Amino acid sequence: MADASYGWGLVSNPEDRDAFESAIRGLHGELANLGAHGAIDGSTRALYDRQVRAMAEELRRKATMGEITWRQAATEANTVRNTVMDSLRGRSTPLGRALAESLKSQGKTLNEMIARKTLQLFGPNANFNALSTAQQNQVYAAIVESAGKSNPAITARMRTVSRAGRGLLVLSLAVSVYVVATAEDKGEALVHEGAVTGAGIGGGIIGGAAAGLACGPGAPVCVAVGAFVGGALAAIGVDYFFF
């Protein structure tokens, strides 16, 4: 194997040095794993925010212009929001999906939203069926508005996670660039670094998915452990084959 030493001079024995560098590459793969999780889930949340906001604005416009009724707008808004939520959860990492499911296992039905907004707007003793048409339209309009909003605390948190994820990916890339630049055989070092990084990310996704199947939905701690262990083992395992 080409000498792709990290050049820190911490270990002098060749066997110990190889073990040390393998552990460092495992950590390197884990950085990429964590970075990818953060970047993917943060981007998915941002896409969800944009899509539901645009959908709600368009339905509000149509209802205001009389192109559809407020009930039709509320029905479509609630359906589309739940569909977008389920679709984008499928594009999240297993950890992102587990976190989302722990906060909300599934979307609310239209009847549940009608009951909630009726109480919020007209008090605990209000009965939707007893409301006037104008009041019912207020309830429907509130459902449309709610469908276009996401939890601001979660959105802010995911924005931070996304930035942190991108930062870890940049750090992981910087380590790879340094290792390749200082290696005797730069071609082999490049392949080596790419394999370890890819294994760390892929192993994390697979490990998280396996943990999700074992622990069931909405178990973020279990999935996080699976993703971390899967990423580390995959990165170290791939690194082993280069010796």
Side-chain angles (χ1 to χ4, degrees), residues 4 7 21 26 30 34 54 60 64 71 87 94 103 106 110 156 166 168 175 190 195 205 209 217 236 240 242:
E21 292 184 355
E30 199 60 63
L34 295 175
R60 188 184 300 111
T64 301
R71 177 176 177 81
S87 174
L103 296 171
Q106 58 185 10
L110 179 62
R166 290 194 296 269
L168 289 174
V175 172
L190 181 62
I205 298 294
I236 293 173
Y240 173 80
F242 280 83

Side-chain angles (χ1 to χ4, degrees), residues 144-155:
V144 174
E145 181 181 3
S146 178
K149 293 180 178 178
S150 55
N151 188 313
I154 296 175
T155 296

